[in-house]
Amino acid sequence: MTTTYDSRKRILVTGGAGFLGSHLCDRLLEQGHEVLCLDNLFTGSKRNIEHLLGNTRFEFLRHDVTFPLYVEVDEIYNLACPASPVHYQHDPIQTTKTSVHGAINMLGLAKRLKCKILQASTSEVYGDPAIHPQREEYWGNVNPIGIRSCYDEGKRCAETLFFDYHRQIGLQIKVARIFNTYGPRMHPSDGRVVSNFVTQALTGGPITIFGDGTQTRSFCYVDDLIDGIIKLMNSEDDVTGPVNLGNPVEFSMNELANTVLRLTGVETSIDYKPLPDDDPKQRRPDITLAKNVLGWNPQIQLEEGLHSTVCYFQELLRTG
Ligand code: NAD
Ligand code: UDP
Ligand code: UDP
């Protein structure tokens, strides 16, 4: 889809220099929109948006969402928040502030502008789920005082704020519950499992598996995920979500490690390490709602997506 001058929007992407945010900026620019990319560069980097800096429809603003923001835009995607356990546990108080104060400020901005706002929520709102696979109706099983709580509870409170702004003042909201997503531009040292396994394999290992490796996750390739969140933003007005977005094919960490080793052609040892506290044992989205309401279904299989990711990290390790 491309835009005409009349249908062109000015779109704010918070967290726009991060992994998902930078791919979203790419896609919105490809569609002909203007993009205001806001980021405090905590986990994101200018490298992720370097290729966009010459585009006259792209603007970068260094700003922290925990502070008020006065700009004029037509739509807001709120992605600002560190997403990997290593990064969000680095300064947990700031993580909660980013989710909660950040949501309040971006909702206040949307309220003043009377514009649509999408929240990048997470499968972590389900915690260590007692229901499998997870449907949107499930309220979750979250520890409120553990080491993951700054992220999980921050994101849950942000969802609460989104729904209260919707009910109380009629703000148009869209809430995406994003499941594990991977691909090029993941931070090489953010500690997430795909970036860890791939960089470990490419640098001679060992591969670190936490626990016995039987815990499961479902991995969505970034291009599929970006399709999903743009479809959600452009969905009918009565679609608020929350909508699960993720790939429903589930793998154990042992299976993932073996696939990465096979694709990279590397033979290295596996180092089993203790399982971190509150690490969910299983996770898989039920995406019936996204299929029915958005017509969205991820297309890219794990091996295909991992191949692009391996190529990206090979190049990154080569050029430094
Ligand atoms: P990321 O860490 O690469 O991106 C987050 C971006 O937000 C970074 O560029 C960071 O610098 C910026 N940021 C952090 N705190 C900020 C603040 N206070 N003010 C302004 N900018 C700030 O992570 P990602 O994987 O791209 O995740 C993007 C969003 O999607 C996050 O909200 C995350 O919770 C959500 N999400 C991601 C996944 C996933 O698997 N990638 C899964 C579920 C949810
Ligand atoms: N806000 C902002 N930009 C705006 C409007 C509001 O950053 O254009 C912030 C402001 O800091 C405010 C928050 O959003 O505290 C919530 O705004 P809202 O109007 O909901 O609440 P109030 O201003 O009454 O506290
Ligand atoms: N994990 C692992 N080795 C690593 C990094 C992570 O075995 O080097 C495990 C982690 O314990 C979890 C799964 O992989 O069970 C996914 O971890 P990630 O941090 O990517 O995401 P999340 O736990 O938030 O789903």
Side-chain angles (χ1 to χ4, degrees), residues 45-60:
S45 88
K46 282 196 182 160
R47 185 183 185 129
N48 288 340
I49 50 166
E50 204 174 23
H51 58 291
L52 301 177
L53 295 175
N55 188 326
T56 51
R57 286 181 286 108
F58 180 79
E59 194 179 347
F60 173 67

Side-chain angles (χ1 to χ4, degrees), residues 140-155:
N141 176 32
V142 177
N143 176 357
I145 56 167
I147 57 169
R148 293 176 87 103
S149 311
C150 58
Y151 184 73
D152 300 9
E153 297 290 18
K155 289 285 189 177

Side-chain angles (χ1 to χ4, degrees), residues 59-84:
E59 194 179 347
F60 173 67
L61 176 64
R62 189 166 184 157
H63 178 83
D64 188 318
V65 287
T66 61
F67 295 99
L69 175 74
Y70 289 84
V71 292
E72 308 304 313
V73 291
D74 303 309
E75 254 172 25
I76 304 171
Y77 287 86
N78 187 35
L79 273 65
C81 184
S84 84

Side-chain angles (χ1 to χ4, degrees), residues 125-126 139-142 151-160:
V125 299
Y126 301 121
W139 290 352
N141 176 32
V142 177
Y151 184 73
D152 300 9
E153 297 290 18
K155 289 285 189 177
R156 286 171 68 94
C157 184
E159 285 201 8
T160 307

Side-chain angles (χ1 to χ4, degrees), residues 1-172:
M1 184 198 86
T2 48
T3 59
T4 60
Y5 186 77
D6 287 342
S7 61
R8 178 186 289 181
K9 292 181 203 144
R10 184 164 160 72
I11 302 178
L12 171 63
V13 178
T14 78
F19 161 49
L20 296 182
S22 61
H23 285 277
L24 179 60
C25 291
D26 284 350
R27 196 71 70 83
L28 295 171
L29 287 165
E30 274 163 30
Q31 292 181 348
H33 298 295
E34 289 179 30
V35 172
L36 175 59
C37 164
L38 176 155
D39 207 293
N40 70 349
L41 301 180
F42 172 50
T43 51
S45 88
K46 282 196 182 160
R47 185 183 185 129
N48 288 340
I49 50 166
E50 204 174 23
H51 58 291
L52 301 177
L53 295 175
N55 188 326
T56 51
R57 286 181 286 108
F58 180 79
E59 194 179 347
F60 173 67
L61 176 64
R62 189 166 184 157
H63 178 83
D64 188 318
V65 287
T66 61
F67 295 99
L69 175 74
Y70 289 84
V71 292
E72 308 304 313
V73 291
D74 303 309
E75 254 172 25
I76 304 171
Y77 287 86
N78 187 35
L79 273 65
C81 184
S84 84
V86 169
H87 284 146
Y88 71 65
Q89 288 164 21
H90 170 74
D91 185 349
I93 297 171
Q94 179 63 19
T95 299
T96 303
K97 284 182 182 169
T98 293
S99 275
V100 177
H101 291 178
I104 291 172
N105 286 330
M106 293 309 104
L107 286 161
L109 175 64
K111 175 180 149 189
R112 178 175 64 79
L113 299 174
K114 298 186 177 56
C115 76
K116 229 185 318 185
I117 178 166
L118 180 145
Q119 168 69 354
S121 190
T122 169
S123 53
E124 288 284 319
V125 299
Y126 301 121
D128 190 2
I131 304 283
H132 195 70
Q134 291 79 55
R135 293 176 63 92
E136 291 82 354
E137 292 77 24
Y138 177 49
W139 290 352
N141 176 32
V142 177
N143 176 357
I145 56 167
I147 57 169
R148 293 176 87 103
S149 311
C150 58
Y151 184 73
D152 300 9
E153 297 290 18
K155 289 285 189 177
R156 286 171 68 94
C157 184
E159 285 201 8
T160 307
L161 284 159
F162 268 69
F163 277 85
D164 283 335
Y165 271 78
H166 173 65
R167 280 186 289 256
Q168 210 170 313
I169 59 159
L171 197 66
Q172 246 192 296

Side-chain angles (χ1 to χ4, degrees), residues 148 180 192-193 196 208 210 215 217 253 279 283:
R148 293 176 87 103
N180 298 62
R192 283 188 268 193
V193 69
N196 265 16
T208 53
F210 301 159
Q215 74 272 34
R217 295 291 187 275
M253 295 312 101
D279 199 280
R283 190 184 290 146

